[in-house]
Amino acid sequence: MLTLDHIAVCAERLAEGAETVERALGLPLQPGGQHAAMGTHNRLMGLGAEYLEVIAVDPEGTAPAQPRWFDLDSFSGATRATTWICRCDDLEAALAASPEGTGVPWSLARGDLRWRMAVPRDGKLPFGGLFPALIEWEGAAHPAPRLTDVGARLAGLRLVSPEAPALRAALSALIDDPRVEVVDGPSPRMEARIATPGGEVLL
């Protein structure tokens, strides 16, 4: 039902987050844009059929009436990968098969990109943020094919959770991707392993 679509790397400030990621990967990010409905902005890097976005609260944007996606209102500290986003063909069906609190559908747009996304009412995804955000792209337009291929690919995604068995069970009926690994750990965190021409990097 779900396919891994992109990885979100959150930052306190976009420019600093972009610099951190570019330095770590040794590769350039490309311009993204603003999400007016959420008061956020981003920069992007292609990962083949997928992509990576560095995202932060836009200081010139307007905050939504509810908490922002990816729990950005509570984000602080080092730039890091926090959220994985999975696409589906039927957002309502995917939500029905997902844990309570995964989100409610929002219709969003930027330029010719149109998509619907499940945004949690409190900004927090289930399992301490480790359950994927759900997206349904409308039409053929998608960011990944438009991005320059700089040779980066997602090699692995590790979800470290104190609720690992329950998270594993919640995901098992929804996605089958050998790169996604759920392991036990004392507190929730996500590790994205990015293969680059210079070697693998952990974000």
Side-chain angles (χ1 to χ4, degrees):
M1 182 179 290
L2 302 180
T3 302
L4 206 156
D5 189 78
H6 66 281
I7 300 293
V9 176
C10 290
E12 289 188 356
R13 286 169 291 277
L14 183 58
E16 294 174 9
E19 182 181 0
T20 297
V21 169
E22 288 180 334
R23 184 170 60 248
L25 298 180
L27 297 169
L29 289 157
Q30 295 174 57
Q34 296 172 309
H35 312 108
M38 279 288 143
T40 58
H41 55 170
N42 66 4
R43 294 189 192 169
L44 308 175
M45 181 180 294
L47 299 174
E50 300 137 2
Y51 66 100
L52 176 152
E53 71 170 330
V54 180
I55 187 167
V57 171
D58 183 354
E60 299 180 1
T62 301
Q66 69 157 68
R68 291 174 172 88
W69 49 20
F70 309 155
D71 200 20
L72 271 168
D73 291 305
S74 303
F75 181 84
S76 63
T79 297
R80 58 192 182 275
T82 64
T83 310
W84 56 310
I85 298 89
C86 289
R87 66 180 176 268
C88 57
D89 294 328
D90 184 334
L91 185 58
E92 279 74 17
L95 279 169
S98 298
E100 184 177 354
T102 299
V104 296
W106 283 55
S107 292
L108 301 154
R110 186 174 71 228
D112 66 336
L113 294 169
R114 300 285 185 275
W115 71 98
R116 300 172 68 230
M117 191 152 183
V119 182
R121 295 186 190 277
D122 63 357
K124 303 176 188 295
L125 286 159
F127 294 100
L130 294 178
F131 195 79
L134 305 180
I135 190 169
E136 178 187 344
W137 291 98
E138 298 183 313
H142 187 272
R146 305 178 177 196
L147 297 168
T148 301
D149 190 345
V150 293
R153 297 291 185 271
L154 179 66
L157 187 70
R158 175 175 289 182
L159 309 174
V160 182
S161 173
E163 305 173 271
L167 175 56
R168 202 176 290 118
L171 293 172
S172 63
L174 295 174
I175 185 168
D176 182 16
D177 190 320
R179 296 171 298 176
V180 180
E181 178 187 17
V182 180
V183 300
D184 291 291
S187 59
R189 75 175 191 278
M190 192 178 91
E191 300 172 351
R193 191 160 39 91
I194 308 297
T196 78
E200 289 192 353
V201 177
L202 199 64
L203 294 178

